[in-house]
Amino acid sequence: EAQVTQNPRYLITVTGKKLTVTCSQNMNHEYMSWYRQDPGLGLRQIYYSMNVEVTDKGDVPEGYKVSRKEKRNFPLILESPSPNQTSLYFCASSSRSGTSGSALYEQYFGPGTRLTVT
Amino acid sequence: AQSVTQLGSHVSVSEGALVLLRCNYSSSVPPYLFWYVQYPNQGLQLLLKYTSAATLVKGINGFEAEFKKSETSFHLTKPSAHMSDAAEYFCAVSVGLSQFYFGTGTSLTVIP
């Protein structure tokens, strides 16, 4: 089954304790992305990756790191979590679709990771 | 800069009534537009997407959206609401190959 998986699904941690949220996709997608979802703000892009070893900042990258050493995996790293990073996090992946000359990414989302930082 | 505005954070309709969820975008170049649905405790699922081929786009579960360039809108509609349509709906715009911008979401309640 084609899917994006995230682990853990729920995490409660304390300020300053490093954590990693894993994301894996089995669709051989080139593009992967991380979002956070907060009430009243919708989804905001944290980081994205166009392919292995190619990553770039989204709208809200502060306090986060990512790596893309393998095509299928795109972990999100919080080196020193703070309470303002309490949120619902989604990983997504996509590949190109559409006619030649256009690139239209249809994203597939993971189930989400609910993070609480106290 | 690109942005997406969804008018109405909460919309309530009666079962069988028309569903209309509004989305306006701002973009300096022709955008790609999407509607996603999120059911409780789940990730986002694509409802439909605008690819510049046809202005009226049909999606899953009986939803459709019309791209109106003059109004910079991409409103989502469904002729007859069903109880199972109750969810959060997000409009999104993609410009270029990599960055996506989502609206703040509209929570749809269907009243029996």
Side-chain angles (χ1 to χ4, degrees), chain B residues 38-58:
Chain B
Q38 183 181 32
Y39 297 103
N41 299 315
Q42 294 186 27
L44 278 72
Q45 179 184 358
L46 182 68
L47 269 180
L48 50 81
K49 61 186 177 185
Y50 169 69
T51 64
S52 76
T55 56
L56 183 62
V57 181
K58 294 188 183 297

PDB file of all heavy atoms in Angstrom, chain B residues 38-58:
ATOM      1  N   GLN B  38      -9.641  17.284   5.571  1.00  0.00           N
ATOM      2  CA  GLN B  38      -9.039  16.626   6.732  1.00  0.00           C
ATOM      3  C   GLN B  38     -10.142  16.150   7.664  1.00  0.00           C
ATOM      4  O   GLN B  38     -10.867  16.963   8.234  1.00  0.00           O
ATOM      5  CB  GLN B  38      -8.102  17.581   7.464  1.00  0.00           C
ATOM      6  CG  GLN B  38      -7.383  16.936   8.634  1.00  0.00           C
ATOM      7  CD  GLN B  38      -6.464  17.909   9.363  1.00  0.00           C
ATOM      8  OE1 GLN B  38      -6.732  19.104   9.431  1.00  0.00           O
ATOM      9  NE2 GLN B  38      -5.369  17.408   9.898  1.00  0.00           N
ATOM     10  N   TYR B  39     -10.247  14.855   7.826  1.00  0.00           N
ATOM     11  CA  TYR B  39     -11.191  14.281   8.788  1.00  0.00           C
ATOM     12  C   TYR B  39     -10.517  14.220  10.147  1.00  0.00           C
ATOM     13  O   TYR B  39      -9.283  14.210  10.232  1.00  0.00           O
ATOM     14  CB  TYR B  39     -11.651  12.905   8.324  1.00  0.00           C
ATOM     15  CG  TYR B  39     -12.397  12.954   7.011  1.00  0.00           C
ATOM     16  CD1 TYR B  39     -11.788  12.562   5.824  1.00  0.00           C
ATOM     17  CD2 TYR B  39     -13.707  13.431   6.958  1.00  0.00           C
ATOM     18  CE1 TYR B  39     -12.458  12.618   4.616  1.00  0.00           C
ATOM     19  CE2 TYR B  39     -14.378  13.503   5.751  1.00  0.00           C
ATOM     20  CZ  TYR B  39     -13.749  13.092   4.589  1.00  0.00           C
ATOM     21  OH  TYR B  39     -14.413  13.179   3.390  1.00  0.00           O
ATOM     22  N   PRO B  40     -11.281  14.173  11.210  1.00  0.00           N
ATOM     23  CA  PRO B  40     -10.705  14.188  12.555  1.00  0.00           C
ATOM     24  C   PRO B  40      -9.613  13.147  12.743  1.00  0.00           C
ATOM     25  O   PRO B  40      -9.773  11.985  12.361  1.00  0.00           O
ATOM     26  CB  PRO B  40     -11.919  13.908  13.441  1.00  0.00           C
ATOM     27  CG  PRO B  40     -13.071  14.444  12.676  1.00  0.00           C
ATOM     28  CD  PRO B  40     -12.757  14.175  11.240  1.00  0.00           C
ATOM     29  N   ASN B  41      -8.502  13.613  13.300  1.00  0.00           N
ATOM     30  CA  ASN B  41      -7.366  12.743  13.623  1.00  0.00           C
ATOM     31  C   ASN B  41      -6.760  12.054  12.405  1.00  0.00           C
ATOM     32  O   ASN B  41      -6.205  10.955  12.520  1.00  0.00           O
ATOM     33  CB  ASN B  41      -7.783  11.694  14.662  1.00  0.00           C
ATOM     34  CG  ASN B  41      -8.231  12.325  15.954  1.00  0.00           C
ATOM     35  OD1 ASN B  41      -7.590  13.245  16.469  1.00  0.00           O
ATOM     36  ND2 ASN B  41      -9.369  11.879  16.468  1.00  0.00           N
ATOM     37  N   GLN B  42      -6.887  12.689  11.270  1.00  0.00           N
ATOM     38  CA  GLN B  42      -6.295  12.130  10.062  1.00  0.00           C
ATOM     39  C   GLN B  42      -5.464  13.181   9.336  1.00  0.00           C
ATOM     40  O   GLN B  42      -5.533  14.369   9.651  1.00  0.00           O
ATOM     41  CB  GLN B  42      -7.386  11.591   9.125  1.00  0.00           C
ATOM     42  CG  GLN B  42      -8.138  10.393   9.669  1.00  0.00           C
ATOM     43  CD  GLN B  42      -9.085   9.813   8.652  1.00  0.00           C
ATOM     44  OE1 GLN B  42      -8.887   9.931   7.441  1.00  0.00           O
ATOM     45  NE2 GLN B  42     -10.136   9.161   9.138  1.00  0.00           N
ATOM     46  N   GLY B  43      -4.693  12.719   8.371  1.00  0.00           N
ATOM     47  CA  GLY B  43      -3.937  13.633   7.528  1.00  0.00           C
ATOM     48  C   GLY B  43      -4.829  14.245   6.470  1.00  0.00           C
ATOM     49  O   GLY B  43      -6.040  14.040   6.455  1.00  0.00           O
ATOM     50  N   LEU B  44      -4.252  14.998   5.585  1.00  0.00           N
ATOM     51  CA  LEU B  44      -5.000  15.674   4.537  1.00  0.00           C
ATOM     52  C   LEU B  44      -5.140  14.781   3.310  1.00  0.00           C
ATOM     53  O   LEU B  44      -4.205  14.067   2.935  1.00  0.00           O
ATOM     54  CB  LEU B  44      -4.306  16.974   4.123  1.00  0.00           C
ATOM     55  CG  LEU B  44      -4.563  18.180   5.014  1.00  0.00           C
ATOM     56  CD1 LEU B  44      -3.859  18.058   6.343  1.00  0.00           C
ATOM     57  CD2 LEU B  44      -4.137  19.460   4.301  1.00  0.00           C
ATOM     58  N   GLN B  45      -6.291  14.873   2.688  1.00  0.00           N
ATOM     59  CA  GLN B  45      -6.586  14.089   1.492  1.00  0.00           C
ATOM     60  C   GLN B  45      -6.968  15.038   0.368  1.00  0.00           C
ATOM     61  O   GLN B  45      -7.776  15.949   0.575  1.00  0.00           O
ATOM     62  CB  GLN B  45      -7.736  13.119   1.789  1.00  0.00           C
ATOM     63  CG  GLN B  45      -8.167  12.262   0.625  1.00  0.00           C
ATOM     64  CD  GLN B  45      -9.376  11.408   0.961  1.00  0.00           C
ATOM     65  OE1 GLN B  45      -9.877  11.434   2.093  1.00  0.00           O
ATOM     66  NE2 GLN B  45      -9.859  10.651   0.000  1.00  0.00           N
ATOM     67  N   LEU B  46      -6.387  14.822  -0.799  1.00  0.00           N
ATOM     68  CA  LEU B  46      -6.678  15.704  -1.925  1.00  0.00           C
ATOM     69  C   LEU B  46      -8.106  15.510  -2.419  1.00  0.00           C
ATOM     70  O   LEU B  46      -8.530  14.398  -2.707  1.00  0.00           O
ATOM     71  CB  LEU B  46      -5.700  15.427  -3.062  1.00  0.00           C
ATOM     72  CG  LEU B  46      -5.854  16.306  -4.299  1.00  0.00           C
ATOM     73  CD1 LEU B  46      -5.457  17.757  -3.974  1.00  0.00           C
ATOM     74  CD2 LEU B  46      -5.001  15.777  -5.447  1.00  0.00           C
ATOM     75  N   LEU B  47      -8.842  16.612  -2.530  1.00  0.00           N
ATOM     76  CA  LEU B  47     -10.189  16.584  -3.083  1.00  0.00           C
ATOM     77  C   LEU B  47     -10.164  16.834  -4.592  1.00  0.00           C
ATOM     78  O   LEU B  47     -10.810  16.130  -5.364  1.00  0.00           O
ATOM     79  CB  LEU B  47     -11.045  17.679  -2.440  1.00  0.00           C
ATOM     80  CG  LEU B  47     -11.845  17.361  -1.184  1.00  0.00           C
ATOM     81  CD1 LEU B  47     -12.605  18.614  -0.742  1.00  0.00           C
ATOM     82  CD2 LEU B  47     -12.818  16.217  -1.429  1.00  0.00           C
ATOM     83  N   LEU B  48      -9.441  17.882  -4.962  1.00  0.00           N
ATOM     84  CA  LEU B  48      -9.346  18.238  -6.374  1.00  0.00           C
ATOM     85  C   LEU B  48      -8.209  19.221  -6.578  1.00  0.00           C
ATOM     86  O   LEU B  48      -7.686  19.785  -5.611  1.00  0.00           O
ATOM     87  CB  LEU B  48     -10.669  18.827  -6.880  1.00  0.00           C
ATOM     88  CG  LEU B  48     -11.326  19.946  -6.085  1.00  0.00           C
ATOM     89  CD1 LEU B  48     -10.703  21.296  -6.379  1.00  0.00           C
ATOM     90  CD2 LEU B  48     -12.822  20.003  -6.379  1.00  0.00           C
ATOM     91  N   LYS B  49      -7.843  19.411  -7.843  1.00  0.00           N
ATOM     92  CA  LYS B  49      -6.747  20.325  -8.153  1.00  0.00           C
ATOM     93  C   LYS B  49      -7.020  21.024  -9.479  1.00  0.00           C
ATOM     94  O   LYS B  49      -7.648  20.463 -10.392  1.00  0.00           O
ATOM     95  CB  LYS B  49      -5.427  19.562  -8.227  1.00  0.00           C
ATOM     96  CG  LYS B  49      -5.399  18.485  -9.297  1.00  0.00           C
ATOM     97  CD  LYS B  49      -4.112  17.671  -9.225  1.00  0.00           C
ATOM     98  CE  LYS B  49      -4.142  16.550 -10.262  1.00  0.00           C
ATOM     99  NZ  LYS B  49      -2.955  15.655 -10.129  1.00  0.00           N
ATOM    100  N   TYR B  50      -6.579  22.233  -9.582  1.00  0.00           N
ATOM    101  CA  TYR B  50      -6.680  23.017 -10.809  1.00  0.00           C
ATOM    102  C   TYR B  50      -5.359  22.961 -11.543  1.00  0.00           C
ATOM    103  O   TYR B  50      -4.313  23.301 -10.989  1.00  0.00           O
ATOM    104  CB  TYR B  50      -7.043  24.460 -10.478  1.00  0.00           C
ATOM    105  CG  TYR B  50      -6.896  25.377 -11.658  1.00  0.00           C
ATOM    106  CD1 TYR B  50      -7.760  25.269 -12.745  1.00  0.00           C
ATOM    107  CD2 TYR B  50      -5.886  26.336 -11.699  1.00  0.00           C
ATOM    108  CE1 TYR B  50      -7.619  26.099 -13.836  1.00  0.00           C
ATOM    109  CE2 TYR B  50      -5.759  27.166 -12.797  1.00  0.00           C
ATOM    110  CZ  TYR B  50      -6.619  27.039 -13.858  1.00  0.00           C
ATOM    111  OH  TYR B  50      -6.489  27.860 -14.936  1.00  0.00           O
ATOM    112  N   THR B  51      -5.428  22.526 -12.827  1.00  0.00           N
ATOM    113  CA  THR B  51      -4.185  22.328 -13.567  1.00  0.00           C
ATOM    114  C   THR B  51      -4.077  23.244 -14.773  1.00  0.00           C
ATOM    115  O   THR B  51      -3.212  23.038 -15.606  1.00  0.00           O
ATOM    116  CB  THR B  51      -4.113  20.869 -14.066  1.00  0.00           C
ATOM    117  OG1 THR B  51      -5.198  20.649 -14.992  1.00  0.00           O
ATOM    118  CG2 THR B  51      -4.229  19.891 -12.919  1.00  0.00           C
ATOM    119  N   SER B  52      -4.962  24.209 -14.880  1.00  0.00           N
ATOM    120  CA  SER B  52      -5.028  25.171 -15.978  1.00  0.00           C
ATOM    121  C   SER B  52      -5.633  24.589 -17.239  1.00  0.00           C
ATOM    122  O   SER B  52      -5.635  25.239 -18.273  1.00  0.00           O
ATOM    123  CB  SER B  52      -3.658  25.782 -16.298  1.00  0.00           C
ATOM    124  OG  SER B  52      -2.851  24.859 -17.001  1.00  0.00           O
ATOM    125  N   ALA B  53      -6.134  23.367 -17.179  1.00  0.00           N
ATOM    126  CA  ALA B  53      -6.757  22.769 -18.355  1.00  0.00           C
ATOM    127  C   ALA B  53      -8.213  23.209 -18.476  1.00  0.00           C
ATOM    128  O   ALA B  53      -8.642  23.673 -19.518  1.00  0.00           O
ATOM    129  CB  ALA B  53      -6.673  21.251 -18.283  1.00  0.00           C
ATOM    130  N   ALA B  54      -8.973  23.062 -17.434  1.00  0.00           N
ATOM    131  CA  ALA B  54     -10.389  23.434 -17.439  1.00  0.00           C
ATOM    132  C   ALA B  54     -10.668  24.254 -16.190  1.00  0.00           C
ATOM    133  O   ALA B  54     -10.149  23.958 -15.120  1.00  0.00           O
ATOM    134  CB  ALA B  54     -11.274  22.193 -17.457  1.00  0.00           C
ATOM    135  N   THR B  55     -11.496  25.264 -16.323  1.00  0.00           N
ATOM    136  CA  THR B  55     -11.752  26.137 -15.170  1.00  0.00           C
ATOM    137  C   THR B  55     -12.675  25.492 -14.152  1.00  0.00           C
ATOM    138  O   THR B  55     -12.623  25.840 -12.978  1.00  0.00           O
ATOM    139  CB  THR B  55     -12.348  27.470 -15.627  1.00  0.00           C
ATOM    140  OG1 THR B  55     -13.539  27.205 -16.384  1.00  0.00           O
ATOM    141  CG2 THR B  55     -11.359  28.229 -16.494  1.00  0.00           C
ATOM    142  N   LEU B  56     -13.521  24.564 -14.591  1.00  0.00           N
ATOM    143  CA  LEU B  56     -14.382  23.842 -13.657  1.00  0.00           C
ATOM    144  C   LEU B  56     -13.745  22.477 -13.399  1.00  0.00           C
ATOM    145  O   LEU B  56     -13.584  21.673 -14.307  1.00  0.00           O
ATOM    146  CB  LEU B  56     -15.791  23.678 -14.238  1.00  0.00           C
ATOM    147  CG  LEU B  56     -16.806  22.997 -13.313  1.00  0.00           C
ATOM    148  CD1 LEU B  56     -17.009  23.819 -12.048  1.00  0.00           C
ATOM    149  CD2 LEU B  56     -18.127  22.792 -14.032  1.00  0.00           C
ATOM    150  N   VAL B  57     -13.413  22.255 -12.158  1.00  0.00           N
ATOM    151  CA  VAL B  57     -12.701  21.038 -11.799  1.00  0.00           C
ATOM    152  C   VAL B  57     -13.610  20.150 -10.947  1.00  0.00           C
ATOM    153  O   VAL B  57     -14.192  20.618  -9.970  1.00  0.00           O
ATOM    154  CB  VAL B  57     -11.424  21.376 -10.994  1.00  0.00           C
ATOM    155  CG1 VAL B  57     -10.670  20.111 -10.648  1.00  0.00           C
ATOM    156  CG2 VAL B  57     -10.545  22.330 -11.773  1.00  0.00           C
ATOM    157  N   LYS B  58     -13.673  18.897 -11.317  1.00  0.00           N
ATOM    158  CA  LYS B  58     -14.469  17.948 -10.530  1.00  0.00           C
ATOM    159  C   LYS B  58     -13.535  17.102  -9.680  1.00  0.00           C
ATOM    160  O   LYS B  58     -12.476  16.662 -10.137  1.00  0.00           O
ATOM    161  CB  LYS B  58     -15.307  17.071 -11.451  1.00  0.00           C
ATOM    162  CG  LYS B  58     -16.380  17.852 -12.204  1.00  0.00           C
ATOM    163  CD  LYS B  58     -17.311  16.940 -12.955  1.00  0.00           C
ATOM    164  CE  LYS B  58     -18.315  17.752 -13.760  1.00  0.00           C
ATOM    165  NZ  LYS B  58     -19.182  18.577 -12.882  1.00  0.00           N
TER     166      LYS B  58
END
